[in-house]
Amino acid sequence: MHKFKFYFNTFILILILFCFSGCTTEPVETDLLLPVDFSNVPENMVLTYFHTDKIEIRIQADPKLMELINKENICYPVDLYTDLEFDPAGDSDSIEPGAYLIPVEEKRIPMNPAIKILSINPSYLSVHLEKKIKKTFKISVPYTGKPAKGYIVLEAATEPASVELTGAVPLICSIKELKTKPIDLTNANENFKKKVPLDLDNPSIISSSDHIIIVTVQVQQKLVSKTIENIPIQAWNRTSMAKIEPSRITIRIKGPFETLNNKEITNQIYSFIDLKGLTPGVYARHAYINIPVGLMMTDASPQVFTIKIE
C-alpha cells in the first residue's frame, strides 16, 4: 500500500512538472520602428524636414505580449519647447533657429513594464528649426500637350488668384513662382474648368487655403490669313455689252482657322460691280466683295477696275 502511494505521488509530481514546463514559454525578441511625435513647436518656428522622424528599438517579451504590442500604435513623444528650452544650445528666454540634438530617453517610451527594452537607435534625435514667415504668391498654371489644330489657349484664370504660404524662411524665399500641377491641353478645342492641386511637394510649407485650385482655361480658334485668287468680277444690272478689266480679283482674308477651311463658307465669297444707270462709255470703279460673317478682308488687288460699255 505504501509502495503504491509512493508511485502515485511520483506520477503526480512528474505530471505537474510536465504541465508547468509545457505552459512556460521562452521570451522572444523583435525590432520595432516608432514614429517620433513632435509637439509644442515654438510659435514662431517651423520644424523642417531635416529631422529624425523614427527610432528603432529592440525589445524582449512573452510571445503573447508581443502579439499585443504589434497591434498598438506606439509613438515616441517629444515636447520641443520644453526639451530645447533646457538644451545647452538653446536660450533661457527664446529658442533660436538651428540644428539641435535631443537625447532619446527610455522612460519616455510608452511600453508595458513587462517588456524589456534591449537597445535604442539612434540615441539622439536630430532636429532642425527655422524661422516661420508668411508670403502671398500669385498662382500660375503650366500647360502640357498641344490643343487641337487651329486652336490657341489663353492664360488660365485661377480661383483663388493668389495664395498665402507659411513656412521656413529659406523654403518660402526659394519659391520664385507658385504653380499648380500641369494641365494637359492635348486636343482641347473648347473652354473648360478643372480642379488642380498646388505644386507643393514639401509638407512643411502650409497654404492658407485649400491646396486645390479651380482653374478656368480659355480655348479659342486661332486667327489665320488666307489668300483667295482669281475671283471673277460679275457685272450686275447690265443692259448692254460691257467689259471689265481686269476681269478677276485676288483678296486676302482673316478669320478663325475652322471657318477659313470650310469650303461651304469660303464658296460664299464673290465679287461684282453694279452697272445700273451707266450709259455707254468708259468708267473706273471699285468692286464689291461679299465676305461671310466672321471673316475680314485685309487686302485686295487690284482695287480699281476699268469698265467699257458699248
Side-chain angles (χ1 to χ4, degrees), residues 283-295:
Y283 303 88
R285 292 287 187 273
H286 294 287
Y288 175 84
I289 313 295
N290 180 70
I291 304 294
V293 176
L295 298 179

Side-chain angles (χ1 to χ4, degrees), residues 137-144 158 160 163 165 171-172 174-183 195-207 209-215:
F137 294 87
K138 183 182 177 182
I139 302 171
S140 63
V141 181
Y143 295 142
T144 60
T158 64
V163 167
L165 298 182
L171 293 176
I172 297 297
S174 68
I175 300 175
K176 304 303 179 184
E177 186 179 19
L178 181 59
K179 301 178 181 179
T180 66
K181 296 291 186 181
I183 288 183
K195 292 183 178 180
V196 187
L198 287 174
D199 193 6
L200 290 176
D201 294 329
N202 195 315
S204 62
I205 298 178
I206 302 171
S207 169
S209 59
D210 196 332
H211 282 204
I212 302 299
I213 306 298
I214 300 175
V215 178

Side-chain angles (χ1 to χ4, degrees), residues 20-250:
F20 183 79
S21 62
C23 297
T24 303
T25 55
E26 290 293 327
V28 294
E29 297 182 6
T30 190
D31 294 319
L32 293 179
L33 206 58
L34 307 184
V36 180
D37 181 21
F38 290 100
S39 63
N40 208 9
V41 180
E43 187 177 350
N44 63 335
M45 293 285 179
V46 173
L47 178 65
T48 72
Y49 56 87
F50 296 107
H51 66 268
T52 308
D53 60 350
K54 293 182 181 65
I55 64 170
E56 183 179 7
I57 65 173
R58 186 163 185 81
I59 61 173
Q60 184 184 71
D62 182 273
K64 291 185 178 180
L65 194 55
M66 198 71 79
E67 289 180 9
L68 296 175
I69 283 294
N70 290 329
K71 295 178 181 179
E72 295 180 4
N73 294 322
I74 304 174
C75 296
Y76 181 80
V78 176
D79 185 321
L80 275 176
Y81 188 84
T82 302
D83 287 336
L84 296 182
E85 186 71 19
F86 296 99
D87 188 272
D91 186 89
S92 58
D93 297 324
S94 63
I95 299 171
E96 296 295 327
Y100 298 88
L101 292 177
I102 302 175
V104 178
E105 301 175 353
E106 181 178 330
K107 64 182 180 180
R108 289 194 186 186
I109 301 175
M111 197 70 68
N112 189 313
I115 298 173
K116 186 177 181 180
I117 298 177
L118 302 176
S119 64
I120 301 174
N121 185 44
S123 55
Y124 285 86
L125 299 178
S126 175
V127 176
H128 197 154
L129 291 175
E130 291 284 359
K131 283 285 187 182
K132 179 170 65 177
I133 61 170
K134 295 181 179 181
K135 187 176 180 180
T136 300
F137 294 87
K138 183 182 177 182
I139 302 171
S140 63
V141 181
Y143 295 142
T144 60
K146 294 183 178 180
K149 186 177 180 181
Y151 286 82
I152 59 172
V153 178
L154 305 183
E155 183 179 354
T158 64
E159 185 182 338
S162 60
V163 167
E164 182 184 74
L165 298 182
T166 302
V169 171
L171 293 176
I172 297 297
C173 292
S174 68
I175 300 175
K176 304 303 179 184
E177 186 179 19
L178 181 59
K179 301 178 181 179
T180 66
K181 296 291 186 181
I183 288 183
D184 186 10
L185 298 177
T186 303
N187 292 326
N189 59 4
E190 60 182 1
N191 298 344
F192 65 91
K193 282 189 177 184
K194 191 172 184 180
K195 292 183 178 180
V196 187
L198 287 174
D199 193 6
L200 290 176
D201 294 329
N202 195 315
S204 62
I205 298 178
I206 302 171
S207 169
S208 62
S209 59
D210 196 332
H211 282 204
I212 302 299
I213 306 298
I214 300 175
V215 178
T216 301
V217 179
Q218 289 189 320
V219 182
Q220 295 182 354
Q221 286 193 54
K222 186 188 298 183
L223 291 179
V224 295
S225 293
K226 184 175 184 179
T227 299
I228 300 179
E229 300 177 331
N230 298 320
I231 302 173
I233 306 295
Q234 302 174 24
W236 284 17
N237 296 315
R238 183 178 58 182
T239 57
S240 58
M241 290 293 296
K243 186 177 182 181
I244 301 176
E245 293 182 348
S247 61
R248 296 176 180 273
I249 187 172
T250 295

